[in-house]
Amino acid sequence: MAADNVFPELKNDRLLRAARGEKVDVVPVWVMRQAGRYLPEFREERAKCDFFTMCQTPELACKVTLQPLKRFPLDAAIIFSDILVIPQALGMEVEMHPGVGPVFPSPLKEPSDIDKLGSPDEVCSKLQYVFDALTLTRTELKGEAPLIGFSGAPWTIMAYMIEGKGSKTWSLSKGWLYKYPTESKKLLQIITDATIKYLVGQVQAGAQVVQVFESHAEHLGPQLFAEFSLPYLKQICDGVKSEVSKLGLGDIPMTVFPKGGHFALKTVSELNYDVIGIDWTVDPVLARQAVGPNKTLQGNMDPCALYANKEFIDATVKEMITKFGCDRYIANLGHGIYPDMDPEHLAAFVDAVHKHSKK
């Protein structure tokens, strides 16, 4: 277990302050997938080995996590990893195919396949490489910015385990919710139990904030979300906060990002997450009305806006900050940055956030 006092003192705590609702000098900003393919220095490393080798090699994961912070004055680092390390740790094979993304050679086809999965109790020992990467990265950051850990939400993970790859409809996995509701909940509970242990392990290893990605919320309507997503998101938040507190590591700020889940913002706001991420389809004013004054919002510029010229990016950020306000707000894109983005346009985004939010 790594206590805070074994790490360099944090010099930039804007993100943590904003997550807790405290005053900040400027709005903190980071970007989902900021360690990744849009950076030529990342592509150079990626050309030497496959994706999951990068994830599983702490020195490499650390190196690419720090790359964007060497270029941009970002207010957080997010550990280079993947949400699908949980299915891997449960015994499923996952491959990263160029131009396709993650592929499961043997996805779950029938409810009986659930019995082939490993135990959630074994997940942390199999994911020690993530914890090692976090500890190394937190040390190498030298307090320049806080370190974010993350996991996928149970429904999002389940959907990949059943579909076997990305999908436009996620109809195979949604079909399970209708055909096999009891077995679906059994699978969701296994993923939930594994995720709680995994996120607690990340905090012990040095993560200062953790984010839960419900990337496929948009494929569930209000009823399915309430039954097959919300209870597990609640368990994760309550379970992680409780365990972290028992370990004497304080109250860890937690973020949930229900992408496309505009219909669920009010119910999500009733959970104990400190921060709620919103995608670019949600009006910040309406989001604030839905979640109330006591949650921090994170988001939400359209990633495609980074294709525009720098003047347009600057004006868009100014309008975004006007709508969100500077309190209880963390600036970000409304989803991950795309691989063909010009890094200079990301620099314009980051600079504009700091410029227009300076008090």
Side-chain angles (χ1 to χ4, degrees):
M1 182 171 75
D4 271 3
N5 59 11
V6 307
F7 293 115
E9 185 180 352
L10 185 60
K11 301 170 194 169
N12 173 1
D13 66 349
R14 285 176 188 138
L15 184 97
L16 302 184
R17 293 176 68 82
R20 296 179 179 126
E22 299 167 7
K23 296 292 182 187
V24 289
D25 58 335
V26 294
V27 165
V29 56
W30 68 281
V31 172
M32 290 178 279
R33 293 191 186 145
Q34 66 189 26
R37 294 171 291 173
Y38 72 102
L39 289 175
E41 56 267 40
F42 176 88
R43 292 196 295 270
E44 192 179 316
E45 290 299 328
R46 178 69 175 82
K48 300 172 190 172
C49 64
D50 70 90
F51 177 84
F52 283 114
T53 298
M54 290 184 80
C55 293
Q56 293 160 5
T57 309
E59 293 76 15
L60 281 177
C62 172
K63 184 175 184 178
V64 297
T65 297
L66 297 178
Q67 283 175 343
L69 280 90
K70 291 176 178 173
R71 272 189 182 248
F72 316 113
L74 293 156
D75 295 301
I78 181 166
I79 195 67
F80 180 77
S81 186
D82 194 85
I83 63 171
L84 298 180
V85 298
I86 285 277
Q88 285 178 327
L90 290 171
M92 295 188 77
E93 185 182 357
V94 188
E95 301 168 351
M96 197 61 77
H97 290 191
V100 178
V103 173
F104 290 69
S106 301
L108 305 179
K109 288 191 163 58
E110 302 291 337
S112 59
D113 291 338
I114 296 172
D115 296 330
K116 299 174 187 173
L117 296 175
S119 165
D121 294 330
E122 299 169 0
V123 162
C124 284
S125 62
K126 293 183 177 177
L127 295 178
Q128 184 61 44
Y129 62 85
V130 179
F131 307 145
D132 292 344
L134 282 159
T135 301
L136 179 61
T137 304
R138 174 86 181 268
T139 303
E140 293 296 317
L141 270 168
K142 296 182 170 60
E144 296 297 332
L147 179 58
I148 302 170
F150 69 91
S151 70
W155 153 246
T156 292
I157 299 291
M158 170 184 168
Y160 273 114
M161 290 165 78
I162 292 168
E163 302 282 342
K165 59 183 179 180
S167 166
K168 289 183 178 177
T169 62
W170 300 96
S171 56
L172 291 177
S173 44
K174 278 183 72 178
W176 271 49
L177 304 182
Y178 287 108
K179 288 190 292 184
Y180 316 121
T182 302
E183 295 87 345
S184 292
K185 288 174 183 176
K186 177 183 176 183
L187 176 56
L188 289 165
Q189 191 61 55
I190 290 169
I191 300 166
T192 298
D193 293 343
T195 301
I196 291 170
K197 293 176 189 296
Y198 179 46
L199 288 177
V200 171
Q202 289 190 41
V203 177
Q204 288 179 283
Q208 292 155 286
V209 184
V210 291
Q211 175 155 322
V212 181
F213 285 88
E214 185 66 288
S215 303
H216 303 150
E218 61 199 300
H219 296 278
L220 303 176
Q223 188 175 343
L224 287 180
F225 187 89
E227 187 172 357
F228 295 102
S229 174
L230 201 67
Y232 304 97
L233 291 174
K234 180 180 187 333
Q235 278 188 56
I236 289 168
C237 186
D238 293 349
V240 171
K241 281 183 175 279
S242 173
E243 287 302 312
V244 166
S245 178
K246 284 179 197 169
L247 290 166
L249 295 172
D251 182 21
I252 184 80
M254 293 185 65
T255 303
V256 61
F257 178 43
K259 182 178 178 289
H262 53 87
F263 55 85
L265 285 178
K266 186 171 189 324
T267 52
V268 168
S269 74
E270 292 163 4
L271 306 181
N272 287 322
Y273 290 92
D274 306 87
V275 183
I276 299 171
I278 57 173
D279 62 69
W280 70 93
T281 66
V282 181
D283 186 302
V285 176
L286 297 179
R288 176 55 71 194
Q289 289 172 359
V291 307
N294 300 320
K295 296 287 182 182
T296 295
L297 288 171
Q298 178 175 277
N300 78 331
M301 192 172 88
D302 184 350
C304 284
L306 290 181
Y307 291 125
N309 61 45
K310 293 179 182 179
E311 291 74 22
F312 184 90
I313 293 169
D314 187 87
T316 302
V317 168
K318 184 178 181 181
E319 181 184 3
M320 181 174 79
I321 288 173
T322 301
K323 286 189 167 186
F324 277 104
C326 294
D327 296 323
R328 279 205 171 274
Y329 174 48
I330 297 167
N332 207 314
L333 301 178
H335 195 230
I337 186 169
Y338 300 143
D340 59 347
M341 291 299 179
D342 182 343
E344 289 304 310
H345 286 219
L346 178 59
F349 171 75
V350 174
D351 291 343
V353 170
H354 287 156
K355 179 179 82 173
H356 290 300
S357 64
K358 195 160 191 168
K359 294 184 180 176

